Amino acid sequence: MYMANLRITEWRKLPVSLAELCLDTTLRCGQSFRWKKLRDNEWSCALHGRILSLKQDSTHLHYRSIRPTTTYPLSPPSSATPSVVDCSSEDEETEALLRHYLNLAPDLTGLYEQWSKVDSNFKKRAPKFTGVRILKQDAWEALVGFICSSNNNIVRISQMVNNLCLHYGPLVGHIDDQAFHGFPSPESLTGPGVESHLRELGFGYRAGYIARTASIVAKEKPEGWLQTLCNEEPYDDSPDQKPLPEGGREGYRRAHEELLQLQGVGPKVADCVCLMGLGWGEAVPVDTHVWQIAQRDYKFGKGKHKSLTKATYDAVGDHFRQLWGKEAGWAHSVLFAADLKAFSERLTTKLEVDVDEVKIKQEDETILEAKLVVKREYALHDVKGESEEQPAKVMVESTRSQRAKRRRVG
DNA sequence: CTGTCTCCTCATTC
DNA sequence: AGAATGAGGAGAC
């Protein structure tokens, strides 16, 4: 069995508010499929040859990495680009990787304010879904993940992607006996037995799509082809920038068109890859969910655009781009998350939290201080928020004594 | 329950 | 007129 020397860095932190990034929503809303919640509030994933772990409190994002000391050189010569920042320490390199992957540059709070200003529906639904940030995932990983997403749900997609990594991806390390594998390269999915193997693993008709797409990317396209479709513009949030062209920027349209050539990639999957893997903020993936939102809240589904045809698909995207602007795909993901069944408890539950300091005088004349956390859940009748008189559920979360201070009394 | 592909019909075009 | 083209729908995967 392979055992590597591992280097575990200490936890470090970045000042990031929950409004700028909510891990729980962002990592579960169906844009990435590999993050594992091992302990409460702690997420881990194998990225760039290391295991990255994240957790957060109301003011900071905490992170650490675990990686082999011998394998995975810091900057593989093949992928090095002239503009790569030379990091003097591993911690700085991990921080740079985090800032890039979590896409921390855009001011999400400011964007929410802008979208709320122009769209009353967004303003109504967004408050319970703050901190939904679009990740900058690896384009190849995003492509395969979203090929798996057709006719599928988030839990099953995650199982499929996990299986793909387990059988075809490199082992990076373990946390508590839990193995972490990196995402397999296109080359590693080009073997003759891949399609039938993936069928045995439960991929269904997507097995053929993945095998054929892997072959096209690995053999027919030039090295680094996917990356050439990336948005290279630095993020710009100045108030006066040139207006977004109808249908999106030229680079986005070209990327979308190129992706459509691949097997198993239609307009929706192509938009997912454009938005979450290639950095095109105006890409608006319209799935059945978004189509229902467009009909319910944005007057689609009547006259022309009665069903979700190609023409309707483009019209919905154009409408949202015109309404929300250059990062329309980001706003779209907020409403998408707000409609996910996995998050529906936020719409039907009101949570009150009381924290009481309790002081208990003990027999030996010392005082024991304890923190008592009481949570009350109220069932709501509707989204607007009329609560029941009585809490549906009361939980006493912790009665652990914070510290037992010894004090002289009197 | 976060689509895509193929094949088919039917309307439009020249 | 009749082939070419393309949108739209149904069913398979």
Side-chain angles (χ1 to χ4, degrees), chain A residues 126-145:
Chain A
K128 288 187 175 178
F129 295 88
T130 54
V132 179
R133 186 168 283 276
I134 296 297
L135 305 172
K136 264 192 197 153
Q137 300 182 74
D138 174 71
W140 167 245
E141 174 174 349
L143 175 57
V144 175

Side-chain angles (χ1 to χ4, degrees), chain A residues 21-85:
Chain A
L21 171 67
C22 176
L23 284 180
D24 186 63
T25 316
T26 299
L27 299 183
R28 292 198 300 138
C29 71
Q31 55 169 320
S32 61
F33 305 102
R34 283 195 308 132
W35 286 91
K36 293 175 184 171
K37 196 179 193 173
L38 291 185
R39 320 182 57 128
D40 259 7
N41 200 32
E42 183 177 327
W43 296 88
S44 297
C45 182
L47 283 173
H48 294 249
R50 79 201 69 177
I51 305 174
L52 204 54
S53 295
L54 306 175
K55 55 185 179 181
Q56 73 177 148
D57 56 36
S58 57
T59 58
H60 288 82
L61 174 70
H62 302 256
Y63 66 92
R64 74 173 180 188
S65 74
I66 304 174
R67 61 169 148 199
T69 51
T70 49
T71 54
Y72 300 106
L74 292 185
S75 321
S78 59
S79 68
T81 58
S83 63
V84 162
V85 179

Side-chain angles (χ1 to χ4, degrees), chain A residues 153-172:
Chain A
N153 59 72
I154 295 173
V155 172
R156 180 154 174 252
I157 300 165
S158 300
Q159 289 169 348
M160 288 163 64
V161 170
N162 193 48
N163 256 331
L164 195 68
C165 295
L166 191 60
H167 289 271
Y168 294 93
L171 177 65
V172 173

Side-chain angles (χ1 to χ4, degrees), chain A residues 160 164 168 188-215 263:
Chain A
M160 288 163 64
L164 195 68
Y168 294 93
S188 62
L189 293 169
T190 55
V194 169
E195 177 173 349
S196 58
H197 185 207
L198 291 182
R199 279 190 187 278
E200 291 169 13
L201 291 175
F203 280 69
Y205 61 87
R206 304 162 198 88
Y209 291 161
I210 292 172
R212 280 188 278 173
T213 293
S215 287
Q263 282 298 315

Side-chain angles (χ1 to χ4, degrees), chain A residues 259-296:
Chain A
L259 288 169
L260 287 182
Q261 298 170 5
L262 301 170
Q263 282 298 315
V265 180
K268 189 270 180 181
V269 169
D271 270 327
C272 286
V273 177
C274 282
L275 178 63
M276 298 156 194
L278 297 173
W280 296 107
E282 69 265 56
V284 179
V286 181
D287 53 35
T288 56
H289 233 76
V290 174
W291 173 231
Q292 283 171 20
I293 293 171
Q295 293 176 89
R296 186 190 64 199

